[in-house]
Structure formats: C-alpha cells, structure tokens
C-alpha cells in the first residue's frame, strides 16, 4: 500500500491490484482489459490482475499511458514476475 501511495504521489499513476483464483478460462489480457473498460479507468490508471490458481497475470493500462511498452515490460520482468514466481503476493 505504501509503494502504491508513493507511486501516486511521485508519478501521478494510480495502480490497482486484483487477485482472483482464476480468470475462468479467459485469457489474462482479455480479462484485465475488460475489467479496465468496465471500471472506466483513465489515462494514468494501471491494473495488475493476478490469477493465483491459474498462475497468470496481466498489466493493463491505456494506450496513451505516459510510459512506453518497453518501460512497462521492464518493470514487469524485474519487479512483478520474480515476486509472483516466488508466491510473494
């Protein structure tokens, strides 16, 4: 929670994290993007959706998000995936 608050204060990004058991047969990208659409996320909102039983995740954000794809992929590779692999929810 502290890291999310710091991200909001320093960068103006709102990170929302949701943990579910399963994406119920949907592809992670499809599930997360649909959730973002239904929740009416804005340009600086980010969703990290994690299905613990499926062992899958997806990070969804607007096409005009301030960071480029390479930067967000690097964050996922360095900070997200290692923790999920270690069951560090």
């Amino acid at each position: 929670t502290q890291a999310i608050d710091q991200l909001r204060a320093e960068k103006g990004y709102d990170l929302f994290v949701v943990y579910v058991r399963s994406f119920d047969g949907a592809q992670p990208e499809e599930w997360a993007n649909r959730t973002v659409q239904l929740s009416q996320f804005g340009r600086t909102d980010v969703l990290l959706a994690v299905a613990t039983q499926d062992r899958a995740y997806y990070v969804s954000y607007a096409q005009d998000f301030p960071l480029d794809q390479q930067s967000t992929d690097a964050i996922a590779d360095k900070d997200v995936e290692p923790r999920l692999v270690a069951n560090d929810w």
Side-chain angles (χ1 to χ4, degrees):
T1 302
Q2 182 180 11
I4 290 172
D5 292 342
Q6 184 178 356
L7 180 66
R8 181 180 301 116
E10 291 178 5
K11 301 291 185 181
Y13 306 150
D14 284 314
L15 174 63
F16 300 88
V17 182
V18 62
Y19 293 100
V20 295
R21 288 180 47 107
S22 174
F23 292 134
D24 294 326
Q27 292 298 315
E29 178 178 0
E30 174 188 312
W31 192 97
N33 288 340
R34 180 75 174 138
T35 300
V36 163
Q37 179 186 26
L38 291 171
S39 300
Q40 300 178 336
F41 272 33
R43 179 176 179 265
T44 59
D45 296 333
V46 178
L47 174 66
L48 169 59
V50 179
T52 57
Q53 182 177 321
D54 294 348
R55 311 279 311 160
Y57 81 97
Y58 190 76
V59 180
S60 182
Y61 48 86
Q63 287 183 344
D64 61 345
F65 186 70
L67 293 178
D68 61 36
Q69 182 77 40
Q70 185 178 3
S71 297
T72 58
D73 287 349
I75 293 168
D77 291 345
K78 179 181 173 235
D79 297 318
V80 177
E81 288 183 16
R83 291 183 176 181
L84 295 179
V85 166
N87 295 325
D88 182 4
W89 313 118

